[in-house]
Amino acid sequence: MTEKESATDNIIADAMATPSPAKSMGDPGITPLSPSHIQQNDTDSNAHTGPSFIVVVAVDFGTTSSGYAYAFTKEPECIHTMRRWEGGDPGVSNQKTPTTILLTPDRKFHSFGYAARDFYHDLDPSESRHWLYLEKFKMKLHTTANLSIDTELHAANGKRVKAIDIFAYALAFFKEQALKELSDQAGAEFDNTNIRWVITVPAIWKMPAKQFMREAAYKAGLVPRDIPEQLIIALEPEAASIYCRKLRLHQMIDIGTKNTQNGFSPTENVGAGMTQAKEHVRSKRQSRTFLVENVIGELWSELEEGDRYVVVDCGGGTVDLTVHQIQLPEGHLKELYKASGGPYGSIGIDYEFEKLLCKIFGPDFIDQFKIKRPAAWVDLMIAFESRKRAAAPDRTNPLNINLPFSFIDYYKKFRGHSVEHALRKSNVDFVKWSSQGMLRMNPDAMNALFKPTIDHIIQHLTDLFDKPEVCDIKFLFLVGGFAESPLLQQAVQNMLHGRSRIIIPHDVGLTILKGAVLFGLDPGVIKVRRSPLTYGVGVLNRYIEGKHPPDKMLVKDGTRWCTDVFDTFIACDQSVALGETVKRSYTPAKPSQQVIVIHIYCSEKERVCFISEPGVRKCGTLRLDVTGTETSAARREIQTHMQFGDTEIRAMAVDVATSRTVKASIDFLAQ
C-alpha cells in the first residue's frame, strides 16, 4: 500500500450500497458520503466570537525588530504602544526592540531585544562562545520545507536549539512586558484571561508556519489550548491595510502625485518627506498613544465602491503584497488576489554585505570569525545596519563602517597580513580603507548591496500589476520598516510611472502593529479572502471507463474503484467569504473506532485530479475524536465543517445521530 493510498487511514465514507474494498479488505480509503458543497453561514459569525475581552494586545514579531501595542475595547480609538526600551542605537527609532534572544550556557532564557544584545556584547570573548545568541530567526519558519515541532535553529556560536523553545521564550517575554504595563496602569494585577492576543505573520506564510506560531503561543502561556479564540493570527499586510483606512492626510506622505504634500515636492529628493515625517513622529513620541479616529480617513473618503489598492509590506525578512477592494457602506475589505511576495526583505542587504566581506577577506576567514568571535560579528552587523539606513539615491559622500578591533586583529593572525593589504588585493570597486580603522564605502557600492533585493521586489510588483485582477489600482501603500528606504521608494516610483499614488504612513514601522490592534478589536473587517492553495483529501470513487486511468483501478467484490482521487475542498485563488464553510460527511471504518484520521493534501494548481500528481503534497491531518458519542445507527455519519475564509483553517465536526459536536483539529506540523 503506497503512502498515497494511506491518505485516509482508518476511515471509510461510504454512500454506496456495495461495500467498498476498504471495508472488506481493511484497505485504507474513503469515498465521499455527501456531495461537496460550500455553505454560507447565515449569522456571519466568524471563528473569533467567544468570551469578551477587556483589552487587545498585538505582538508584531518581526524578523529584525519586534514590539507590542494594545487598546482597551472600551477605548478602541486609543492605541498604546509599548514602553521605551532600555538600550537602543543612536539615530535608530527604538519603539520596537531587536528580535534578538540570549540563552545562558545551560539554555535557560536570559534576555530579549536590546538587553540581550548589550549583555552579549559585554561578555568576555572566552565566555560569549558558550552563550546562545540568536537573531533574524523568524525566516526559518518560512524557509524550512518540512517544518515541525522539532525544527532547530542555530545560535551565533553554531549550537543548535529547538525553534519552538526560542519562539515561546520570545512570546513569553512580550506577555510578561504587556501584563506588567497593564497591571501598572490598572493599579492591580491584570488577569491574562481578559486579554485577546494578536500575533502578526506574513500573509505568504504557509499553514505549518502559522500553526507553529500558535503552538509557540500555547507553550509560552499566552493563551490556553482549550480557548484558541483568545489568540488571533493576523496577516501583516492585512493589518497594515486596516490601519491605512484610518489615515488622515497629516499622518502620511504621498509620493505618487505631482503636487506638494506635507511641504515637499515629490519630484525633489524622495527621502526628504520621510525625514520630515520622522521628525514629526519624534516630536509626538512622548505619549506613545495614537488616536485612531472612529471615522474613515480623508484618503479613504476618496475611495468609491469597488476601488482597488495594493499594500506592499516590506519587512526585514519578507515582502508581502495584498490587493484589496473596498466594499461600501461599511468599508469592509475584500481580497482580490491571493497574497504574494517572497523572501525579499531588508536582511537581503545584510547578506549582500556579508558576500562583499567574503570577497574581500575570504569566505574561510568570515566563517571562522563568526564562530570564534560571535559577539564582534554582531557588532559589525550593527555598525552596518545604521549606515545602511543612510543610503539614499542622491547621496554623494562615502559611508564609513567601523570594523571592530577584534576583526582587524583576528584577520592579521589568520592571514598573516593586514586588513588594508586585503582591501588593496581584492580589486573590489568603491570600497577603501580609512586610516581611522573604517571601511569607506562609496555610495555606489552601498547602493549595489540594495540592488538584488530591490530588483526582486520591483520584478514581483511588475508581475503583479500585469495580472487582470490588478488593474486600476488607486493607491499603493508602502509599509513595513524597509519602506523607509529612499532607494526602495524611488524604485517603486520609477516602476509605477504615475499609474497609482504611493502612500507611506508616518512611523511606517508601526503600521502593522497598530493595524493588528484594530484587527483584534474587529476581526470581521476583512470579509473576503482568496485561498493561496487548492486543498482536498484523497478518496475512492466509482471507476469510470475512459475517465479514470487503468492503473488507478481497484476491483473488489465485482465493484471497480478508482483510488487516489483528489476530492477538492477549495481551489487555489477561489474567493471565500468570512464564515463560509465546506461540509463533508464521513463514517468510521469500524463502529468501535474512537479517532478518525483524514490526510489533507494541497497544491498550487487550481485543478487537481489525483493526489499522486506532481506538486501535490500532504500538508495536514484532520483528526476527529468521536470518543463518548456511541450510537445505535448501523452507519455513523460524522459531518465535518471546515472554514477557509479566516487567516487559519478551522475545523469542527458533528456526530449526526447524536447532534453532538466532536473534537476536530487540523495538524499541519505532523511529519
Side-chain angles (χ1 to χ4, degrees):
M1 188 59 55
T2 66
E3 184 192 312
K4 289 174 230 133
E5 287 169 305
S6 75
T8 41
D9 305 349
N10 309 326
I11 171 171
I12 302 165
D14 170 12
M16 292 66 169
T18 316
S20 79
K23 202 174 257 184
S24 50
M25 292 169 58
D27 286 348
I30 60 171
T31 62
L33 186 66
S34 61
S36 13
H37 65 286
I38 289 187
Q39 166 204 302
Q40 174 72 47
N41 280 9
D42 316 318
T43 55
D44 194 26
S45 66
N46 68 64
H48 302 308
T49 52
S52 54
F53 302 101
I54 293 172
V55 69
V56 169
V57 179
V59 178
D60 178 2
F61 197 124
T63 302
T64 49
S65 60
S66 299
Y68 69 87
Y70 60 94
F72 292 93
T73 49
K74 283 185 176 163
E75 288 183 298
E77 65 287 346
C78 287
I79 299 175
H80 308 271
T81 57
M82 62 203 175
R83 295 171 172 165
R84 291 179 70 81
W85 297 99
E86 293 305 313
D89 303 323
V92 177
S93 152
N94 64 341
Q95 280 196 286
K96 284 184 175 174
T97 195
T99 308
T100 52
I101 197 165
L102 183 63
L103 306 188
T104 62
D106 60 353
R107 297 170 180 257
K108 298 278 188 293
F109 174 79
H110 179 272
S111 47
F112 186 90
Y114 286 117
R117 215 174 68 177
D118 295 347
F119 188 91
Y120 185 60
H121 169 271
D122 292 339
L123 284 168
D124 185 85
S126 61
E127 270 190 287
S128 66
R129 70 187 63 163
H130 301 297
W131 288 65
L132 284 82
Y133 178 83
L134 295 100
E135 61 177 357
K136 298 175 183 149
F137 49 84
K138 177 185 171 185
M139 278 299 285
K140 183 80 173 175
L141 300 195
H142 181 66
T143 54
T144 304
N146 295 313
L147 185 67
S148 77
I149 292 295
D150 297 320
T151 294
E152 292 182 322
L153 301 171
H154 285 91
N157 60 2
K159 287 185 181 168
R160 301 200 313 197
V161 61
K162 271 191 153 189
I164 193 79
D165 293 339
I166 296 302
F167 281 84
Y169 280 143
L171 291 172
F173 168 80
F174 282 112
K175 177 190 173 187
E176 186 189 341
Q177 295 291 321
L179 276 172
K180 189 172 186 316
E181 187 168 341
L182 289 165
S183 299
D184 288 351
Q185 275 207 15
E189 197 168 326
F190 200 88
D191 190 342
N192 189 44
T193 56
N194 292 321
I195 298 175
R196 162 169 274 161
W197 290 92
V198 180
I199 298 174
T200 64
V201 302
I204 55 169
W205 268 16
K206 295 190 167 58
M207 287 298 170
K210 291 176 189 170
Q211 187 187 331
F212 191 96
M213 280 306 256
R214 182 169 278 283
E215 292 296 330
Y218 291 149
K219 184 159 189 166
L222 237 65
V223 303
R225 198 177 283 275
D226 56 352
I227 313 178
E229 64 277 7
Q230 197 183 339
L231 168 68
I232 299 175
I233 301 293
L235 308 181
E236 286 162 2
E238 280 193 358
S241 183
I242 292 162
Y243 178 68
C244 288
R245 299 189 325 146
K246 304 279 189 179
L247 282 175
R248 309 304 302 266
L249 288 176
H250 65 272
Q251 295 171 317
M252 65 195 186
I253 304 150
D254 185 339
I255 62 169
T257 54
K258 290 283 170 270
N259 57 326
T260 301
Q261 288 246 220
N262 297 324
F264 92 105
S265 160
T267 53
E268 292 166 19
N269 172 10
V270 177
M274 207 68 223
T275 311
Q276 251 180 297
K278 284 181 187 168
E279 285 312 313
H280 170 80
V281 166
R282 269 195 200 104
S283 64
K284 300 262 188 259
R285 190 162 277 164
Q286 304 320 310
S287 71
R288 297 188 305 110
T289 299
F290 292 86
L291 285 176
V292 182
E293 296 176 42
N294 236 340
V295 294
I296 298 296
E298 292 106 327
L299 193 67
W300 222 255
S301 60
E302 293 180 36
L303 288 173
E304 294 167 357
E305 174 79 43
D307 274 352
R308 299 146 182 238
Y309 63 95
V310 173
V311 176
V312 183
D313 170 21
C314 306
T318 51
V319 167
D320 242 359
L321 298 92
T322 40
V323 186
H324 279 152
Q325 188 174 46
I326 190 89
Q327 291 183 308
L328 298 175
E330 299 90 352
H332 288 139
L333 307 181
K334 173 182 181 180
E335 189 180 22
L336 275 190
Y337 184 75
K338 65 181 180 184
S340 63
Y344 320 134
S346 60
I347 57 171
I349 302 152
D350 302 349
Y351 294 142
E352 290 299 318
F353 178 60
E354 192 176 323
K355 274 158 68 176
L356 178 70
L357 293 176
C358 288
K359 198 172 169 186
I360 298 168
F361 303 108
D364 55 341
F365 166 71
I366 295 297
D367 287 345
Q368 275 301 301
F369 181 69
K370 283 161 88 171
I371 291 165
K372 299 290 187 196
R373 302 282 188 274
W377 174 256
V378 170
D379 274 0
L380 174 55
M381 293 313 288
I382 291 167
F384 174 69
E385 175 70 28
S386 65
R387 302 320 295 141
K388 178 172 91 174
R389 289 166 183 266
D394 58 341
R395 190 181 176 98
T396 53
N397 53 324
L399 295 124
N400 292 326
I401 295 161
N402 273 314
L403 281 184
F405 171 73
S406 63
F407 186 99
I408 299 164
D409 181 55
Y410 192 69
Y411 184 76
K412 196 162 178 50
K413 284 177 187 160
F414 190 86
R415 285 269 191 259
H417 58 244
S418 69
V419 161
E420 192 176 357
H421 175 82
L423 265 161
R424 274 203 310 272
K425 287 279 186 200
S426 69
N427 298 324
V428 170
D429 293 338
F430 309 125
V431 182
K432 300 279 177 278
W433 178 247
S434 102
S435 53
Q436 289 91 20
M438 294 178 178
L439 284 180
R440 283 175 74 77
M441 288 187 77
N442 177 302
D444 290 344
M446 179 61 92
N447 294 0
L449 300 182
F450 277 75
K451 192 175 184 318
T453 302
I454 288 178
D455 284 353
H456 272 304
I457 296 168
I458 297 305
Q459 185 58 56
H460 202 88
L461 266 175
T462 305
D463 294 345
L464 184 74
F465 271 74
D466 285 344
K467 305 265 186 244
E469 304 92 325
V470 191
C471 58
D472 303 325
I473 297 295
K474 201 153 188 176
F475 300 116
L476 182 143
F477 290 100
L478 206 51
V479 303
F482 191 20
E484 288 187 6
S485 163
L487 290 167
L488 177 62
Q489 291 173 16
Q490 188 185 61
V492 173
Q493 200 173 7
N494 292 344
M495 171 254 157
L496 282 175
H497 298 303
R499 276 185 288 175
S500 56
R501 283 163 62 186
I502 303 166
I503 307 293
I504 306 171
H506 286 177
D507 225 6
V508 68
L510 293 180
T511 304
I512 288 154
L513 195 46
K514 292 184 271 188
V517 174
L518 293 171
F519 183 58
L521 292 165
D522 178 17
V525 65
I526 310 270
K527 284 290 179 225
V528 180
R529 287 185 174 87
R530 295 266 177 167
S531 177
L533 297 168
T534 296
Y535 289 98
V537 296
V539 299
L540 291 171
N541 272 356
R542 287 294 186 99
Y543 185 82
I544 300 168
E545 199 77 53
K547 178 187 171 186
H548 294 141
D551 63 336
K552 296 282 183 197
M553 188 171 71
L554 181 72
V555 183
K556 184 61 187 162
D557 297 339
T559 304
R560 297 191 304 171
W561 299 91
C562 182
T563 61
D564 293 349
V565 174
F566 186 99
D567 186 25
T568 303
F569 282 164
I570 196 160
C572 177
D573 209 25
Q574 183 178 328
S575 281
V576 197
L578 194 64
E580 243 177 63
T581 308
V582 179
K583 274 192 190 177
R584 288 287 190 284
S585 290
Y586 303 110
T587 184
K590 304 187 190 81
S592 59
Q593 204 168 309
Q594 301 298 297
V595 178
I596 306 171
V597 178
I598 306 164
H599 293 309
I600 298 172
Y601 291 81
C602 66
S603 170
E604 290 181 7
K605 290 193 300 184
E606 199 176 329
R607 282 182 57 80
V608 184
C609 297
F610 298 98
I611 60 173
S612 51
E613 286 175 25
V616 177
R617 57 189 179 84
K618 189 166 87 173
C619 65
T621 309
L622 178 63
R623 294 177 196 280
L624 304 177
D625 186 346
V626 296
T627 317
T629 56
E630 283 70 25
T631 171
S632 55
R635 189 182 64 193
R636 166 185 282 166
E637 181 184 347
I638 305 294
Q639 199 176 70
T640 62
H641 302 242
M642 264 174 269
Q643 281 196 337
F644 287 86
D646 215 326
T647 57
E648 297 170 276
I649 296 174
R650 295 167 188 274
M652 65 164 285
V654 178
D655 187 340
V656 174
T658 61
S659 300
R660 273 189 56 181
T661 301
V662 299
K663 262 194 188 160
S665 62
I666 303 179
D667 186 2
F668 289 105
L669 291 168
Q671 289 300 301

